[in-house]
């Protein structure tokens, strides 16, 4: 949670009450840990096959951490028998998901003051 608060609340200005929700206890979480034991990345898979709350510490971005977290969540969804995964990508991250076989759908929408696009990936 501290990393998510850093990325979403402090860096992106998402209200804390929107970042925290009742879903966390029901999700599968992927966490990347640095050599000194600190959390450097995280993401979650909701029970309905949605991926969300992808966050990587600033100094670890563009080094493959986010891709590894995403692929771990996709693999878990496949293991659980989902036929696809869905996520709401921030517009600035759409190209990250496109490179990982996600396909955009629908119109751009605003959530927590940030523009997003729904994306899917068949498993």
């Amino acid at each position: 949670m501290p990393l998510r608060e850093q990325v979403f609340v402090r860096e992106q200005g998402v209200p804390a009450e929107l970042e925290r929700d009742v879903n966390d206890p029901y999700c599968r979480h992927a966490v990347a840990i640095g050599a000194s034991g600190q959390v450097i990345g995280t993401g979650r898979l909701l029970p309905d096959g949605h991926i969300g709350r992808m966050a990587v510490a600033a100094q670890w971005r563009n080094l493959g951490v986010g891709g590894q977290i995403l692929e771990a969540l996709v693999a878990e969804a496949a293991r659980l028998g989902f036929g696809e995964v869905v996520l709401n990508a921030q517009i600035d991250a759409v190209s990250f998901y496109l490179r990982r076989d996600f396909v955009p759908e629908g119109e751009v929408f605003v959530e927590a003051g940030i523009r997003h696009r729904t994306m899917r990936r068949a498993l």
Side-chain angles (χ1 to χ4, degrees):
M1 189 60 73
L3 176 62
R4 284 174 33 187
E5 288 178 357
Q6 173 61 39
V7 171
F8 297 121
V9 177
R10 290 189 202 98
E11 291 178 24
Q12 297 180 351
V14 173
E17 61 272 11
L18 293 180
E19 160 48 27
R20 296 179 185 199
D21 64 23
V22 299
N23 293 316
D24 275 331
Y26 308 103
C27 294
R28 303 287 178 126
H29 296 267
V31 178
I33 306 292
S36 63
Q38 79 278 24
V39 174
I40 61 172
T42 188
R44 71 182 189 181
L45 175 67
L46 282 90
D48 65 359
H50 278 75
I51 291 175
R53 302 304 200 267
M54 293 279 300
V56 175
Q59 65 271 29
W60 289 93
R61 293 179 192 152
N62 300 309
L63 298 174
V65 174
Q68 290 177 337
I69 291 168
L70 181 62
E71 292 307 322
L73 293 168
V74 168
E76 181 66 5
R79 188 187 74 75
L80 292 171
F82 288 102
E84 68 177 5
V85 287
V86 181
L87 54 81
N88 293 327
Q90 292 184 7
I91 291 300
D92 291 344
V94 165
S95 62
F96 168 84
Y97 295 107
L98 286 171
R99 290 191 305 273
R100 289 159 181 88
D101 300 323
F102 281 80
V103 177
E105 69 176 31
E107 299 297 320
V108 172
F109 62 94
V110 176
E111 182 176 57
I114 300 169
R115 294 172 16 137
H116 288 76
R117 183 102 187 253
T118 299
M119 301 185 80
R120 291 183 187 276
R121 177 172 159 180
L123 304 180

